[in-house]
Amino acid sequence: MSALGDEIKRMIAENGPMTVERFMEFALGHPDLGYYMGRDPFGAAGDFTTAPEISQMFGELIGLWAAEVWASMGSPSPVRLIEFGPGRGTLMSDALRAARIVPSFRAALDVWMIETSPTLAAIQHQALLNGGVAVSWALRLKEAPDGPAIVIANEFLDALPIRQFLREGGQWRERLVRIGADGELAFGVSKTPEPYIQANAPEGEVLEACPAGHRFMFELGARLVKQGGAALVIDYGHAATGFGDTLQALRAHRFVTPLAEPGECDLTAHVDFAAMARSASAAGAAVYGPIPQGDFLRAIGIDLRTRALAERASPERAAEFEAARDRLAGKGENEMGALFKAMAVADRNRPSPPGFQPIAARQT
Ligand code: SAH
């Protein structure tokens, strides 16, 4: 068992079983032993790979997306460009480089990185040191100064802790983490049912909720409505709310059991986009999508960008760009184009953001 696993067992022995939400919060965010706190988890040598780490095209296209959104906002200066959970800073670095073709946009930028991990914040700092744009770091959205904003969050929502409820004896009970007969961490359920949950489901079904995600979407929607701007949220997950246990742990690019080594493996859950959209709408914001990541990237020009890069490259490099495009936008197995979704949130005073259909058209 990992050091954090022992710590969690000690807490359970002292205070009783903890919710899955609390477990996930510790596993990822414990100040000393949490997964993101002391390591760089990305890439071939790490535990998982994300879209910006697969290809520079991902961040570049998002940089140009942001420039176009900015123009639709009336080109405000300054404009906050805020990224949540920026990992290695690769997306932002690629976005700022691509934005060089719109110098007035670059000149207006005030970049904010919202990051909990000091280790990753330091890596981001290195990545952006010579980018020629002022960058600040913060722990929450409130710390970014008021004013119009463009917000990016790639694979951020899947890292927020979820609650799980289990259908047992015709009632929902919260799933807990306890110490099993063998002395290891094991799942259990709360003795007290949750009568306020209306959903009906077969025995053994799991229902998930992400309170931190709801808080994030509501706060984001409220800020954009009040101060103007748009956000792009990309993650893996489902468009419609459903049942099922989606908690998963990854270590060295392989799935492992979520309870086995807290703090040593990445722990995520599928994003319920319908639920996230409800919170942004409740704050008064317009919500676009979700649409498959592949459709989004094609609509904002990944094919053109691939061709442009491939034409200037050696045959091997050209093939790499094409393979990266397929991995990001393809909809087959082991490709991200269908499983990952893109959703935009904006104030109601602008046309639909690039890549997204106008809301009225989407509903027909
Ligand atoms: N966007 C990056 C990294 C995704 S991994 C990429 O696509 O490569 C998740 C990121 O979110 C990490 O940087 C992690 O440290 C950060 N993170 C997790 N929980 C957070 C929270 N509550 N607030 C801010 N950042 C958080």
Side-chain angles (χ1 to χ4, degrees):
M1 178 61 50
S2 57
L4 182 60
D6 290 335
E7 171 72 6
I8 289 176
K9 277 195 220 162
R10 197 191 53 72
M11 285 189 270
I12 292 175
E14 208 166 286
N15 307 312
M18 65 171 70
T19 60
V20 168
E21 184 184 31
R22 194 113 179 88
F23 175 79
M24 202 171 162
E25 222 167 79
F26 279 131
L28 295 178
H30 185 285
D32 306 316
L33 303 169
Y35 176 72
Y36 283 118
M37 291 304 140
R39 67 158 63 68
D40 172 3
F42 305 99
D47 294 315
F48 60 97
T49 303
T50 58
E53 302 299 334
I54 290 172
S55 171
Q56 66 185 73
M57 294 190 287
F58 190 78
E60 289 171 347
L61 290 167
I62 290 176
L64 298 178
W65 180 90
E68 216 172 308
V69 167
W70 174 72
S72 83
M73 292 160 69
S75 309
S77 182
V79 64
R80 318 286 168 216
L81 178 59
I82 305 172
E83 186 181 357
F84 278 83
R88 277 181 177 163
T90 309
L91 190 163
M92 186 59 79
S93 162
D94 292 336
L96 295 179
R97 192 183 57 254
R100 288 209 175 111
I101 63 169
V102 192
S104 51
F105 172 56
R106 249 176 81 93
L109 283 176
D110 179 27
V111 175
W112 285 79
M113 309 287 263
I114 314 290
E115 175 59 68
T116 46
S117 158
T119 307
L120 289 176
I123 294 174
Q124 293 155 18
H125 191 256
Q126 279 301 319
L128 299 173
L129 207 52
N130 301 317
V133 172
V135 183
S136 312
W137 276 261
L139 287 172
R140 48 195 73 250
L141 182 59
K142 273 196 216 80
E143 292 173 57
D146 285 352
I150 299 169
V151 179
I152 312 291
N154 185 61
E155 290 211 46
F156 168 71
L157 283 173
D158 68 18
L160 297 181
I162 57 158
R163 295 178 72 179
Q164 288 190 322
F165 302 93
L166 197 68
R167 189 74 172 173
E168 244 187 35
Q171 290 180 309
W172 291 105
R173 289 172 197 276
E174 181 143 23
R175 210 167 184 201
L176 302 175
V177 178
R178 60 184 175 88
I179 299 173
D182 59 358
E184 295 303 323
L185 294 174
F187 285 116
V189 282
S190 166
K191 291 198 188 73
T192 2
E194 313 274 343
Y196 61 90
I197 301 178
Q198 299 291 320
N200 204 353
E203 280 292 292
E205 202 52 275
V206 173
L207 181 67
E208 296 180 338
C210 184
H214 283 287
R215 286 194 295 274
F216 168 71
M217 294 303 293
F218 190 88
E219 194 188 352
L220 180 65
R223 174 174 173 140
L224 295 174
V225 165
K226 200 163 153 216
Q227 304 185 26
L232 177 65
V233 177
I234 300 181
D235 225 305
Y236 77 107
H238 35 273
T241 303
F243 296 111
D245 176 1
T246 76
L247 189 66
Q248 67 179 44
L250 269 181
R251 186 166 192 182
H253 301 266
R254 283 170 200 279
F255 288 109
V256 295
T257 34
L259 299 185
E261 294 167 299
E264 300 297 325
C265 48
D266 186 38
L267 207 53
T268 60
H270 281 227
V271 173
D272 177 349
F273 278 96
M276 295 299 102
R278 281 196 295 278
S279 283
S281 301
V287 178
Y288 302 86
I291 57 174
Q293 171 172 300
D295 295 357
F296 175 69
L297 292 176
R298 289 222 142 84
I300 62 169
I302 195 166
D303 289 317
L304 267 177
R305 185 72 190 132
T306 306
R307 223 171 300 145
L309 287 166
E311 268 166 17
R312 282 186 264 136
S314 65
E316 299 91 81
R317 277 298 279 156
E320 275 172 36
F321 284 121
E322 275 151 21
R325 186 263 322 272
D326 293 345
R327 185 143 172 228
L328 293 174
K331 292 192 176 168
E333 222 181 304
N334 298 324
E335 295 177 328
M336 299 171 78
L339 177 60
F340 280 71
K341 315 265 184 304
M343 188 167 88
V345 176
D347 67 70
R348 296 183 172 275
N349 306 322
R350 72 197 61 271
S352 55
F356 293 92
Q357 299 285 322
I359 290 175
R362 193 171 52 89
Q363 284 168 345
T364 56

